Structures are given as structure tokens and as C-alpha cells.
Amino acid sequence: MSTDVLVIGGGIAGIQASLDIADKGGKVYLVEKTPSIGGRMAQLDKTFPTNDCSICILAPKMADCYGHPNIDVLTYSEVVGVDGEAGKFKVKVLRKARYVDETKCTGCEECVAKCPQKVPNEFDQGLGERKVIYMPFAQAVPRVVTIDKENCTWFIKEKCGACKILCEREAVDFDQKDEEVVLDVGSIIVAIGYDIWDPTPASEYGYGKYPNVFTGMEYERMINASGPTGGEMKRRSDGERPHKLAFIQCVGSRNPQLGHAYCCSVCCMFSTKEAMLAREHHDDIDSTIFYKDLRAFGKGFFEYVERAKNDYGVRYINSDATVQENPENNNPIVVYDVAGRPEKEEFDMVVLATTLVPRPDAIKIAEMLGIPLTEFKFFESKDRILAPMDTVREGVYLAGYCREPMDIPEAVAEASAAAARAVETVLAKGVTG
Amino acid sequence: MEPEEQTPETPIEQEEQAPQTPVVQQEPIAEPPVEPDEEAPETPPTPDSEELRIGVFVCHCGTNIGGFVDVPAVVEYVKTLPNVAFARDNLYTCAEDGLTAIRDAIKEHKLNRVIVASCTPRTHAPLFQGVCEEAGLNKYLFEFANIREQCSWVHMKEKEDATRKAKDLIKSSVSKAALLVPQEEMKVDVVPRSLVIGGGVAGLSAALSVARQGFDVHLVEKEGVLGGFTRNLNSLSLGDKSAEDTIKPLIEHVQAHENITVHLNSQVESVSGFIGNFDTTIVTNGSSKEVKVGTIIVATGALEYIPEGLYGYGMYDNVVTLTEFEILCKSGKLPKIKNVAFIQCVGSRGQDKSYCSRICCVISIKNALYITENFAEIMGEEGAERVEVDVSVPEISSRRRRRRRMVSAEGEAAPGPAPTGGPEITIFNRDVTTYGADHEVYYNKAREKRIRFVRYTTDNLPKVTQEGDKLVVNYYHETLKTERKLQADMVVLATPLIAPPDAADLSKKLKIPIGRDGFFLEAHMKLRPIDFATDGIFVCGTARGPADITESVAQGLGTASRAAIPMARGFIQAEAILAQVDPEICTGCGTCEANCPYGAIRLSDDGVAEVLAAACKGCGCCGATCPEKAIQMMNYTDDQLLAQGRSILQGAM
């Protein structure tokens, strides 16, 4: 029997679930696939409806989680096998070699400065570049660099090695190997979050074809002070900053043809926020949001939209919209309709609220855990009304966006809920043996 | 477990003490940690009156500080400051060799104050304080100087000035450190018992989970039965299962759990105390019972807004609210209806209420689908003959005890749509808000079933009139730009959930805030959605704001997790950075009590302010607003802060 808990996914839901359990004295293994915990929330610039700086409110939780004596944070790691049952799961975790000794690296990033090789930075949605030995983002936890083996000259042709030569603490270790560890846990919480759909296939929006069409997450990184443009909005075509922005909602979502017949729950609000932030950056920027139904349903959300309209001059147009381009200046042209009459309007940047989709890993993880997914590939609750956190497999619980589209506070509440269920299970199993 | 029986002879029973809880309460409140002598700031006393020996550790933080601040020069300067017995630099103070250097220096140089000049206390103070304690130094004798975020990072282009500023910052910390005194942290035991207020789905879920996590629960429900608002409802999802049957297992589990005591027909009369030790009084049918609990979960739910005077409500019997419609379905009193109009956002979204009520769209759609799926049964064999709503249904008649306004019929009835086989259902909406996957599935299904969705704006609200014996919805067609009429047998108004009137009363008793929307206000909108700012009190379900059943259950479970944390730990360790009242100076004006966000300071029976140490967060609101300067913050006393400030200003001369 084990009273330990495994949490899969180091985003805000996984962090909160881990903290809740660890604060009660339970031992937690938090397994995160990427080199840092933080998840999607770490990428966001601000959060609605308070416009709090996202990383500023998240970073203390990340630090609390990593520093917690009851939480073992396994970053750059993946769950590769699950056996057993509630109270006595055996979980195989692959700890991928980061080629840097976590215990020696102090995160000084001097190696990063010297590394000659650059690749697109996934944390910035590919807008900026990062080095091949890299800190995923400024506030990453743990504060340890990782070598991206695929692109590293040392691994490709055994040349360079600048990072190893330079590191005074001798933390770089090219001989490090992937390692498999087996964890004994009593219950498991799945909190793997969501992915961002690539809107290139939906050619009517012109993403990938017209340079000045961006996704919402690209825009978030661009307006972030620590992002690839240092917080400046820049058109891809000429680097100029925009003066007239269009936001298009439901790109790929609420769309059965694309297999996403659901609503993402957060896009109306994040586009509203993004439009407000544009005005905060430059008070001569005008924003227009094209929407199907304006879903401002959370606490203070409708009031937030009213504030966007009245105090930030955000214009809302109830229409589907597609994008064309003015070839002379690369300005996107939004085609929409008013009362059945087609209209066109030229903007200098378009931001697409692309659908948020289940992670491709969900299928693999569901199979490993022996639990079903919904028709949209979200994890299926055992009982959507009375047991939303439970799965059909006793001892396996769900939290956050991987279960159902939701915003941050709901994911946080669900994380606590899943923590409660996980603790109930390990206590019950501990008693009954 | 059956609801507890009342013993009228002994109206006030003392709840037995939990066996394992020797509760510390009066002592720390009455005697907060005392600062040895406030009158002698010049040579502050140390535990054994030894001379001041301050050690300063200046961090390079790799190049983060060292690249912009001349750290060796700073160290040489620091050595010249008064009371500094030792100073050195570290490449990384937080790395193991840096920590060892602190430990060794404390012993070797008999340091009795330690300053680290590096980064932010938010992430690193606990680490350095821990090292001090390992070396036998009280952690409150540690002081942080932030020369990274507040210096090197913001002055990367001004290295000389950055170095000068780093010196000033450290000098000011040295001035404060000289006045630091050791503090003892207070431990307060936590009673392993929760009070859950409200026996709806959220409260039931919370109670059951707290009980299953091994703690006692007292569940207080003001009605005579459990189930809350859900008891009004016909169903909670599509399908045959009634709402009552759906939640029955939850109620049964709660009633059967040995850790749960259910108090029906009961109210919480009073609450005093703080996290870990709340004294509560539960009143049941006039008799009171005192229960001591460690944590409190608020799950008091919400009510449906009654749309008095809107859209013919109260004038025409067949204009009903969504909940009334559910009651009619549930009680089998639904009249024969064929043409039904739902009107969304009645009284919400910037009208009487500013907010969107979140769940009305999906509930209207669910009921529209209920009509389509049970149409044969609803219409019976007699076809489309319309029947009036039977307002003698007890739940509805009680809602409608209000003055009826007489109306005169206006206009003439327009011919209705040609009768067809199925029902004609129209949902007038401003935005169909079926968010997420589960709700949107309902919307898509409704459109497949040819339920009509007609958008309206607040510039052209629909109007409901009666023409002959038919209700008529007059509306403006946004696309066709024309006025239209729709005949309806019944008009269902989707009104928002609103906070119950007694929320204000509970807010006062528990000292928990209410937001502008009337619902309880959580500690932080994003990251503490089900906590209150006051420790030990939590909120879930529609008491917090509109939520569907799934969300209410999740929040209920969530609060159970949050509440179980201090109870599982068994004690609260209060940081020693607390407010301290000088009773000689305090005039008992009560300004501090009014300004404390945590309910942690109050007027004692002696008429002076007293601090509830376990609840105090040391935020300083009381100290800042005290007109008599009778309140000091431990570790941030006026003397300490003034010394720090003066020292900076001297540097600026």
C-alpha cells in the first residue's frame, strides 16, 4: 500500500493539486513533460478579469511547489507505464536526460550566453529564438538549463561543447542517460491541460499565408515584456506596430467540420483582455472583436466586457469573419456580414482565438490508465454530475482543462477537488489494506 | 445518520471537546509576544545582551548582480559599517557552498544578526532563515537586502550608480538589523471538525469529502430536508432520471456517514474565534447548541431572481420563470403547450443585475429539449388545446404571493404559425452562452431538433402581451429589421441566480466579504477561488456565484480539500510578524477592527484592541490607520523602519 500520490502535469491544476495534498502531509510526485513547471499560465501575459500579471501570481506557487518538502518535482519526465490498482499503483516514469546535472546547475545561464546555436523558441510560440542549451523562460522552475539534444552540435557532430568547457560548476554532462524510475503510489491525478490548435488548415483565416495574422497565444507572448519582442506588437511583414486590430473568435471551435464542436470557454474573455491590453500599450490602437456569441459568463466577466467597450473603446461585431489580404501593404482584410449583407474592413493585424484542444498525449495516457476519453478526446468523468473528478478506474482522478474546457479559477478549484478525492482514496485504502 | 434530535430541556449543550485537541486559545491572544523594551532603540537588547555582531553576505548571483554591481567593492564598504563583524561575497549564496559559508561564519565569528544581499525574500528568505536556525540563530534575526530586482536588474546601464545603490540598500538593512529582536512563533492547535453551512449539492459534496478525509462535520441546513435548490428541479440532464433521484445517493451517503452530524431546520446563530478554533452556535427550532470547529465551509446557495413586472410576469399565468417551469414539469402540472417561448437574460447582463448568470442558457435548452422529447405526453390525446398554468402548485403559489396588476389587452392577435406535428419552441437570446463541451453539446442538439434561436438586443427588448387567450411575444428581427409577433402558449423567463437575502447576515457573522454582485467574494479571483481571505473559511457552489451542478460539486470537493489542510496538519504555525497593541496608548476607538481584512483584531472587554494572533497576517493595516500609534508590527516596528529610512536618506545627502 502507498499513500503517495502521482500528479501528471505541472500546470496550474497540477501545481495546486500537489500543494493541497502535500500541505496535508501527503507525499506527491509531480511529473511534468517539459523542463519547467508552470504550464500554459506561465505563457500568458495578463489574466482576466483583473488584468493581474499571470507569471507574477503563478511564480510564487511554482516556487512553493518546487520547494515543498513533500513534493518531488520530476520535470522533463513522462509517465510511460501504469500497473496495479488504487492504493498500489506502480508507475514507470521516464526521466529524460537533460545533459545537465540538476543538482549542480545554478541557473546562471552563462552557458546559454555562449551557446552559438539558435532554434525557434517554443515557449514564445516560435516567434523568438532560444539557444540549444536553454532556460525555458525567465521564471522557470527548476532554475536549471536543459540541452536540446536534437539540435545540439555536440550530439550531431561532436563539436563545440562550449557549455561544458565554460561551466565552472561542471554541471554539463553529455554522457547523461535517460533513466526509468518506478514509483509506488496510491492514487493518480491527471492534469495535463490543453494544446493550441494550429489554424493553418482553416485557410479562410489566412494563418500561415498572410504574415500579419497571429494566434492569440502568439499575441500574448508578443505583448509580454519578457517575450520575444520585449512587449512590442510587431507585424510579421514589416516589424511596424499595428494601429488597428481585429480579433476573430471561435477559430476552429464550435465547428463540427473540424472536429471541435465545443466551445473553448475562455476565448471571448482572453480576446477581450488582449484588446484592452493593446490600448494599454498604445492609446491609439483600436480593436474590433468579431464573435458568434459573446460568452462572458464568469464572475465579473460581463462587467469586464462592458469596461472594454466603454473605457477601452473595444468594438464588438456579431458576425462570423474570414480574412483576405491587401497585397500592397500586407494588411489583413476581414470579411464579415451585417444583417446578411457582406462587409469588408481593412486592419493592420488580425489575432485569431484558435480553439484549445486536448493534448495528443491524452490518448496514450488514457490507454495507459485504462480510462475513456469523450468524443472530443477530453478525459471522461465517471459521472458528470456527482463525480466529475472521478474516472471509471478507482484511484485515478481528473482536474482542469484536460477534463473539460475551463478557465484558471475553475481549474484551481477542480485541482483541489481532485486532491480531496485522491486523499480520500489513499486514506480508505490505507485503512482497509 | 439521522438528523440529530433536539432535547428541549437543555437548549444549550456544550459540544464535547475532541479528544486530541488541547486547544491553545486565550493565552496567545491575551499575551502576544512582548517586545522587551520599546524605549531603548539606540542599543537594542539581544537575548543575552551581548554586543551586536552583524554578518553580511553579498551575492554575485552569477552575473545577475556581479555583472552590474562591483560586489568586492560593496563588501569592502560593508566592512566599515557599524556593528558589522563579518562580510564576504559569494558567487551563489543559495548554492550549497554559499549556505555552508553562512553556517560556518555564524559559528566562527559569533554572528548574532545575518544579512544576505541578493534577490527576493519571496523565494529565498525561507532558505536563508532555515540556515540561520540550523546554526542556532533565531530566524527573525535575519534580514534581506534585495540588490538584484531592486538594483542590478533595473540599473544595468549604470554600473557605478548600481554599486552605490547596492551599498545604500545594504547600509539601510544593517541599520534595521541592529534593531531586530528574536521572535517566537506561536503554534495553535486546530480542532479537527468542520462546520458546513448549507445542505445543497455543494455543501453535501463538501461535507462528505471532509468526513471521508477523517474529520467530523456538522452540516447545517435551514430547510427540513437536504438537497437545496436542486429540489426545485425536474432533471439535471437529458434523460429519464429526475433531479431528486440523481442526487439521492449523495444525500444517502451524507446521512449514513458516521463523521457527519446533520442539523435540519437549523441556522448558524453566531460565530467567534479564528482558524482552528471557531466557536459556533447552531439554532434548531429555537434551541441552541454550541459547536467548536476548526474550519467553516460556506455553501449557502442562491435564489432565482423573480422578474416582477417584466415580460408580463405576474400578469399572465402562463408567463413563468425557468425554475417554475421545472416545478411544473416535476409535479406533473405542466399544461398542454405547443408553442413555447423562452426569453433569456431577463434582469441580467447589465439590466437589474450586471452579471451573466452562466447557466440559464443551458437550462433553457435542456427544458426545450425536454418539451420536444416528451411532447406526446405533454399534449396528451386532446391535441393543442391550451390549458392555464395551475398556480395552486404550492411551490409556485408561494412564489407568487404578490400584488397582481390588472392589464388591458392591447392590439389584435396575429395569426399564429400554422400548426405542425411537433412543438414550436423559440429561445430569445442575447448570446447563447453554452460554454465548454458539455453545454455546447446541448446547444447543438437543440439546433438539430429545430429549436429556434432568435437574437435580440437591449435596444429592442421583446414584449409579451396577451391577445385573446394567447400570449404574444412582440420582437424585432435583427436581420430582417422588422417587428414580428410570435404566439405562445407559454413564455418561460430565464432569470439570474441571485444571492439570498440572508447572505449579508452571514457575511457579518463570519466577517467574510460580499462582492458587488451580491455573492460571496473569494480571496483571489484567479488562484484562490474557493478560499476566503480569512483563514479557515471557504466558499463553494452558488453562494460564490452562478454555477452548474458539476461545478458546484467540484467546488464542494475543493473546499473539502482546502479545509482539510489545517485539520490534517493539526496546528497552525502563526508567523511572528504580528500586530502588537500597547494597551496604555490604545483609546479603544475601533479603527483597527474596522480596517482589518482578516477579522484578526477586535476590542476586548477592557475596551482596548486585542490581536487574534492566529488570524493576524501582519499586513499592517491596523498599525497604519491607528490614530494613536498604539499598534506596532513585530519585526517591522516604527523604530526599525525609521532607522532603515534615515540610513538611506543619509546616503542621499
Side-chain angles (χ1 to χ4, degrees), chain A residues 268-279:
Chain A
C268 284
M269 298 312 295
F270 76 59
S271 292
T272 295
K273 171 196 73 182
E274 287 167 1
M276 287 165 92
L277 293 177
R279 183 60 78 85

Side-chain angles (χ1 to χ4, degrees), chain A residues 12 16 19-21 23-24 41 47-50 52 57-58 60-61 63-64 106-110 143 168-169 254 256 261-265 291-303 318 339-340 375-376 378 384-389 403-405 407-410 412-414 416-417 419-421 423-424 427, chain B residues 62-64 91-92 95-97 122-123 201 208-209 212-214 236-237 246-247 249-250 349-350 354-358 429-441 443-444 455 478-479 481 517 519-522 524-530 544-545 549-551 553-555 557-558 560-562 564-565 568-569:
Chain A
I12 183 60
Q16 185 64 50
L19 284 171
D20 264 37
I21 295 164
D23 282 347
K24 283 175 227 183
M41 195 179 165
T47 60
F48 58 80
T50 48
D52 270 328
I57 57 174
L58 176 66
K61 287 232 178 211
D64 287 351
T106 59
C108 71
E109 296 188 67
E110 282 173 31
R143 234 193 119 59
E168 280 179 30
R169 304 188 58 83
R254 302 185 63 192
Y262 58 88
C263 158
C264 292
S265 269
Y291 68 98
K292 282 184 184 167
D293 288 290
L294 195 65
R295 296 184 169 174
F297 55 86
K299 278 188 95 167
F301 291 6
F302 192 79
E303 296 87 336
N318 179 223
E375 56 178 316
F376 307 122
F378 291 110
R384 289 192 196 189
I385 294 172
L386 286 188
M389 278 46 261
R403 185 189 75 77
E404 163 82 14
D407 64 4
I408 291 166
E410 287 175 80
V412 170
E414 285 212 345
S416 286
R421 295 291 296 136
V423 168
E424 286 174 37
L427 289 176
Chain B
T63 54
N64 276 300
L91 186 57
Y92 290 103
E96 196 46 52
D97 50 353
R122 182 68 184 84
T123 53
V201 172
L208 186 58
S209 180
R212 284 176 170 169
Q213 290 180 71
L236 300 178
S237 60
T246 309
I247 65 160
L250 179 60
R349 298 220 326 170
S354 63
Y355 54 89
C356 162
S357 187
R358 187 178 184 109
N429 66 86
R430 286 168 60 190
D431 287 291
V432 180
T433 303
T434 45
Y435 60 90
D438 288 355
H439 290 191
E440 184 78 357
V441 165
Y443 180 38
N444 290 336
R455 186 182 287 268
E478 290 290 328
T479 309
K481 303 281 177 213
D517 52 12
F519 295 101
F520 287 113
L521 184 64
E522 59 271 39
H524 188 279
M525 281 208 148
K526 277 293 178 194
L527 294 185
R528 294 183 66 194
I530 50 178
R544 184 186 161 272
I549 296 281
T550 309
E551 290 157 353
V553 169
Q555 290 171 21
L557 291 169
S561 177
R562 307 294 298 152
I565 291 170
R569 202 184 275 166

Side-chain angles (χ1 to χ4, degrees), chain B residues 173-192:
Chain B
S173 293
V174 170
S175 307
K176 186 187 169 191
L179 301 177
L180 289 175
V181 288
Q183 311 282 349
E184 291 311 315
E185 292 192 339
M186 195 190 52
K187 248 176 150 178
V188 183
D189 287 334
V190 174
V191 177

Side-chain angles (χ1 to χ4, degrees), chain B residues 345-401:
Chain B
C345 303
V346 172
S348 58
R349 298 220 326 170
Q351 299 177 76
D352 189 7
K353 300 293 172 188
S354 63
Y355 54 89
C356 162
S357 187
R358 187 178 184 109
I359 56 171
C360 339
C361 280
V362 76
I363 295 176
S364 289
I365 290 171
K366 180 200 71 181
N367 282 306
L369 288 168
Y370 175 83
I371 297 168
T372 53
E373 285 174 9
N374 297 280
F375 191 59
E377 203 181 310
I378 290 168
M379 292 306 286
E381 288 166 6
E382 294 158 62
E385 189 199 332
R386 195 184 64 91
V387 181
E388 292 247 326
V389 168
D390 179 2
V391 287
S392 67
V393 175
E395 292 105 315
I396 295 186
S397 62
S398 70
R399 297 166 141 263
R400 294 203 165 195
R401 256 178 250 127

Side-chain angles (χ1 to χ4, degrees), chain A residues 29-335:
Chain A
Y29 297 98
L30 174 58
V31 173
E32 162 60 38
K33 192 173 68 169
T34 71
S36 171
I37 56 171
R40 291 293 177 197
M41 195 179 165
Q43 285 184 285
L44 301 176
D45 182 43
K46 304 276 170 69
T47 60
F48 58 80
T50 48
N51 288 2
D52 270 328
C53 156
S54 189
I55 189 69
C56 307
I57 57 174
L58 176 66
K61 287 232 178 211
M62 292 162 65
D64 287 351
C65 189
Y66 191 70
H68 203 295
N70 294 342
I71 304 176
D72 206 346
V73 177
L74 309 175
T75 50
Y76 213 44
S77 299
E78 287 181 51
V79 174
V80 291
V82 179
D83 275 320
E85 58 186 68
K88 43 186 178 188
F89 289 110
K90 280 210 179 299
V91 181
K92 263 190 239 162
V93 176
L94 178 71
R95 307 210 63 187
K96 292 176 281 187
R98 66 198 321 153
Y99 305 104
V100 172
D101 186 336
E102 242 180 88
T103 61
K104 288 186 185 160
C105 176
T106 59
C108 71
E109 296 188 67
E110 282 173 31
C111 54
V112 177
K114 287 287 176 323
C115 175
Q117 193 77 7
K118 285 182 182 172
V119 291
N121 187 347
E122 55 280 83
F123 187 79
D124 289 332
Q125 299 298 112
L127 286 186
E129 289 179 319
R130 64 159 169 80
K131 296 294 183 63
V132 162
I133 188 164
Y134 67 108
M135 187 69 74
F137 50 98
Q139 303 83 353
V141 171
R143 234 193 119 59
V144 169
V145 294
T146 301
I147 294 176
D148 163 6
K149 187 187 177 187
E150 305 297 306
N151 294 300
C152 174
T153 324
W154 180 265
F155 289 97
I156 297 168
K157 40 190 175 184
E158 293 210 13
K159 278 187 183 160
C160 185
C163 50
K164 189 176 168 69
I165 299 160
L166 184 97
C167 181
E168 280 179 30
R169 304 188 58 83
E170 297 178 347
V172 176
D173 175 7
F174 292 131
D175 299 325
Q176 209 176 55
K177 295 273 177 291
D178 288 358
E179 196 189 338
E180 206 169 85
V181 293
V182 178
L183 308 174
D184 289 301
V185 297
S187 47
I188 298 171
I189 293 172
V190 184
I192 64 167
Y194 61 87
D195 229 331
I196 296 159
W197 185 66
D198 175 1
T200 312
S203 57
E204 64 268 35
Y205 298 108
Y207 181 80
K209 188 165 57 171
Y210 308 136
N212 296 323
V213 178
F214 290 80
T215 66
M217 192 58 102
E218 285 176 337
Y219 179 85
E220 292 275 346
R221 292 313 304 150
M222 202 157 51
I223 58 172
N224 188 281
S226 64
T229 57
E232 289 302 315
M233 285 172 247
K234 285 185 178 168
R235 285 158 43 104
R236 255 191 280 253
S237 63
D238 52 16
E240 292 293 310
R241 83 159 169 91
H243 294 78
K244 200 170 170 218
L245 283 172
F247 293 83
I248 301 179
Q249 298 308 106
C250 299
V251 173
S253 45
R254 302 185 63 192
N255 186 333
Q257 281 80 41
L258 292 167
H260 313 130
Y262 58 88
C263 158
C264 292
S265 269
V266 291
C267 318
C268 284
M269 298 312 295
F270 76 59
S271 292
T272 295
K273 171 196 73 182
E274 287 167 1
M276 287 165 92
L277 293 177
R279 183 60 78 85
E280 282 187 1
H281 279 236
H282 300 283
D283 60 12
D284 61 350
I285 295 186
D286 290 318
S287 295
T288 304
I289 297 180
F290 296 91
Y291 68 98
K292 282 184 184 167
D293 288 290
L294 195 65
R295 296 184 169 174
F297 55 86
K299 278 188 95 167
F301 291 6
F302 192 79
E303 296 87 336
Y304 187 67
V305 169
E306 292 290 293
R307 200 149 66 87
K309 284 180 189 167
N310 301 330
D311 301 348
Y312 290 77
V314 179
R315 183 167 63 132
Y316 289 82
I317 294 179
N318 179 223
S319 170
D320 283 334
T322 56
V323 182
Q324 298 174 351
E325 191 187 54
N326 179 346
E328 283 173 23
N329 51 14
N330 292 115
N331 278 352
I333 296 165
V334 175
V335 182

